[in-house]
Amino acid sequence: MANNNRARGLGITLIVLLAFFYRGYQLIDQVLIDDEWHAAHQVMMSTPTQIATSFGLADYSIPLTLYYKAIAATMGLSELAMRAPLFIAGLLFAGVATGFAWKRLGANTALAFGALLATSPLLFTYARIARPYGLTVALVPLAIWLYLKWWDRRSAALAVAYVFVAVLATWLHLIVAPMVFAPQVYGLWNLWRTRLHALPWFALAVASGVALVLVVGPPFFMNPNALAEKAATDLPTLTTLWGAAHQWLGVGSHVILVVMLGLACYGAPRVWRAGGPFAQVYALGLALTCAAILLMRPAWVQQPLTFARYLLPIIPVLLLFCAAGIVRLSEKSHANAATTALTASLVAATIVTTPMQEILRAPQQYASHSWFHFDMRRHKNPIREHMSVVPISPLWQALVPEKNGNVTIAAAPWSLYSFDAEHPLWQRIARQKLIPASGEGLCTTWDGGHPLPGKGLALRNFAYLANDDDLRAKHIDLVVLRKPIHHPRRMPGVPMPDLAACASNLTMRFGPPIMEDAVIQVFDLRPRYSQMKSAS
C-alpha cells in the first residue's frame, strides 16, 4: 500500500510539473487581449457595486472582476495577477483529476490521461486567459463530487462546501449552472426511485437556490437587458460540432481527430463502468448544458470556439476516454510500451497539427490572440483570412538583423479587437520582445482599447509613449508606429488611429526615425537613454 501511494504521489507530481512548465512557458510575458479587456475596463471605470450588479453588455465575470478591483486598489493589477487564479486552478485540476483516474482506472490510464490533460491546447489557452473558463472546468467536477459525497454521508460540512462551489461556479459563468446543479436532479430521481426521506434533499436545494439568488439576482433584476441582448440569436450546427471536436481534442488534422474519437469510443465503456454515479451525473450535466444552449441560443454559439468553451467540461471526459482506449489497445496488443508511445504521439500531434507549434516559439507574447486559438485548424481560422490583407512592412525583417530576442519594441497603435492588432505577425518576423503601446495623452485620447494611466492597472507588457519613465522602466529600445492603412475588412465604425502627432513628438524627444516606409516609422530610444545615463 505504501509503495502504491508513493507511486501515485510521484505520478501526480510529474503531471503537475508537466502542466506547470508547459502552461507556464512565457506566461509572464503575455499581453492582455480581447475579452480580457472587458474586466480591465470595469476595474478602471466602475465601482464594486456597479460591477456586482450587472453582467455588462461586454462580457466579464463578476467575481473575477471584483477580485481584480481589489488587487488594483492595493498593489496594482498586473497581467500575471489577473491570470493567476486560472493558472493555479489548472494545475490543481491536472493533479486531482490524475489522482481520481488513478484510483478508479489504474496507473497507466491515469498517467496517459494526465499527460493529455496537461498539454491540452484549449485548456492551455484557458489556463492563461483572464476569463472564468479555466476555473469552471475545475469547479464543475468538484461540485458533483461534493454532492455525491454529501448524498452518501449527509455531512453538513459537505453540504456547505457543495453550495459554495456550485454557486461560485455559476456566478463565474452562468452556462455551467446545468452542470453544477445536475446532482440535484440525480438526487431527486433517487428519491423517486427509492422513496427515501426528501427533507435533506429539499433543504440543500433551497439553500443553494437562496445562495445563488443572493449573488446572481441583483445583476438579473437591475440590468436584465445585459443578458437578453446576447440571447436568442444563434444556434450551433453540425459544422460547429465538428469544429468544436477539433478544439476539445486539440488537433488540427481530421485524420488524428478520427483516431482520437475512435480511441475515445474504445475506452468509453471502461470509464463508464468505473465512473459509477459520478459518470452518470456528469453525463446528465453535459446533456442539460446542451439543452440550455439550444434553448438560450447565445450570441456567436455557431462559432466552434464559442460552443467549445460553453461545453469546456467535456474535455477531461473525452481525454479520459482516449487514455482508457490507449491502455485497452495496449493490453490487447500485449505491448507494454504502447501506452507511452501512443500518448506521446497524441501529445506531439496536438503541437504539430495546431498553432501550438507557433505559440511555443520564443519570443511569443500573443499566445491568446485570436490568430492562434480561434480555430485549431489553421486553414479554417477566419481571423487569419481577415488579417491576410493587412500590409506588413518589409522593414520588420531588417529591423534587428541579429534576431536574438534581446531587443524590446513598443508598437502602436493597439486595437481592443485582436483581429485588428497585427502585433503577433510583426513579432513573428522581428523575433524580438514586442509589446503594445498607447499614444494616450500624447497624440490620442482614450478610446477603450488600452488602459488609462493611474487607474489601478500596473501592466508589465504595455507601454505609454507619453511617459519617458514608463518607457525606460520597461527597457524599450525601439518604438514602431504603424501609419494609417487601408484595411478593406476592418470592422465598420472602428476608426484607424492616426499617430502623426505621436511621430512629431517622438522626433522631438528621440530624434528622427531610423527607418521609415509607407507603413511604419521606427524610433531608436537607446541613444537618448545613454545620454541621460551619462549625464546623471
Side-chain angles (χ1 to χ4, degrees), residues 467-476 525 528-529 532:
N467 190 326
D468 277 359
D469 291 337
D470 186 68
L471 295 173
R472 187 163 52 251
K474 290 167 182 170
H475 306 290
I476 304 301
L525 278 56
R528 165 72 180 276
Y529 291 144
M532 292 174 64

Side-chain angles (χ1 to χ4, degrees), residues 231-253:
T233 56
D234 298 308
L235 275 172
T237 64
L238 288 177
T239 301
T240 305
L241 185 61
W242 182 246
H246 281 276
Q247 297 279 14
W248 291 327
L249 290 170
V251 289
S253 162

Side-chain angles (χ1 to χ4, degrees), residues 60-323:
Y60 62 88
S61 173
I62 291 175
L64 271 182
T65 308
L66 290 172
Y67 155 75
Y68 299 151
K69 187 72 173 178
I71 298 295
T74 51
M75 66 185 73
L77 186 63
S78 67
E79 298 95 336
L80 187 59
M82 291 183 72
R83 294 168 177 142
L86 298 313
F87 184 72
I88 293 170
L91 297 183
L92 292 174
F93 179 62
V96 172
T98 301
F100 187 86
W102 196 304
K103 187 175 180 180
R104 287 158 180 78
L105 294 160
N108 289 342
T109 302
L111 290 173
F113 170 55
L116 295 174
L117 195 66
T119 57
S120 162
L122 202 58
L123 294 183
F124 170 96
T125 296
Y126 287 123
R128 294 158 55 102
I129 291 182
R131 301 285 285 147
Y133 313 114
L135 269 174
T136 55
V137 78
L139 292 176
V140 160
L142 177 58
I144 294 172
W145 180 84
L146 285 169
Y147 189 94
L148 292 177
K149 284 295 180 184
W150 169 83
W151 185 262
D152 289 337
R153 301 178 185 176
R154 295 296 196 268
S155 162
L158 287 170
V160 171
Y162 165 75
V163 170
F164 175 80
V165 171
V167 171
L168 176 60
T170 306
W171 198 22
L172 282 162
H173 194 213
L174 291 175
I175 197 62
V176 302
M179 289 291 304
V180 296
F181 290 105
Q184 298 193 22
V185 179
Y186 166 85
L188 186 61
W189 176 76
N190 265 292
L191 288 177
W192 176 82
R193 185 173 60 89
T194 61
R195 300 296 191 266
L196 290 173
H197 190 46
L199 185 58
W201 175 90
F202 181 75
L204 185 54
V206 169
S208 54
V210 169
L212 186 63
V213 169
L214 288 176
V215 295
V216 175
F220 259 121
F221 296 126
M222 298 183 71
N223 194 3
N225 293 333
L227 286 180
E229 293 182 8
K230 290 176 282 193
T233 56
D234 298 308
L235 275 172
T237 64
L238 288 177
T239 301
T240 305
L241 185 61
W242 182 246
H246 281 276
Q247 297 279 14
W248 291 327
L249 290 170
V251 289
S253 162
H254 298 320
V255 174
I256 302 297
L257 178 64
V258 170
V259 169
M260 293 188 74
L261 289 174
L263 287 170
C265 291
Y266 194 47
R270 178 175 290 188
V271 175
W272 183 258
R273 287 193 300 270
F278 184 90
Q280 297 167 18
V281 175
Y282 210 103
L284 174 63
L286 290 172
L288 291 174
T289 303
C290 288
I293 290 171
L294 295 176
L295 181 65
M296 294 172 59
R297 299 171 56 201
W300 299 103
V301 78
Q302 81 280 11
Q303 295 290 346
L305 178 61
T306 304
F307 183 71
R309 70 187 180 207
Y310 282 175
L311 277 169
L312 207 63
I314 201 175
I315 291 180
V317 174
L318 293 176
L319 295 183
L320 185 56
F321 286 173
C322 281

Side-chain angles (χ1 to χ4, degrees), residues 2-31:
N3 288 337
N4 288 339
N5 289 338
R6 203 160 28 241
R8 183 165 64 244
L10 178 60
I12 292 170
T13 301
L14 290 174
I15 294 302
V16 172
L17 287 174
L18 174 62
F20 177 82
F21 288 111
Y22 191 76
R23 299 178 185 189
Y25 182 59
Q26 301 188 94
L27 174 63
I28 197 171
D29 293 324
Q30 299 305 303
V31 305

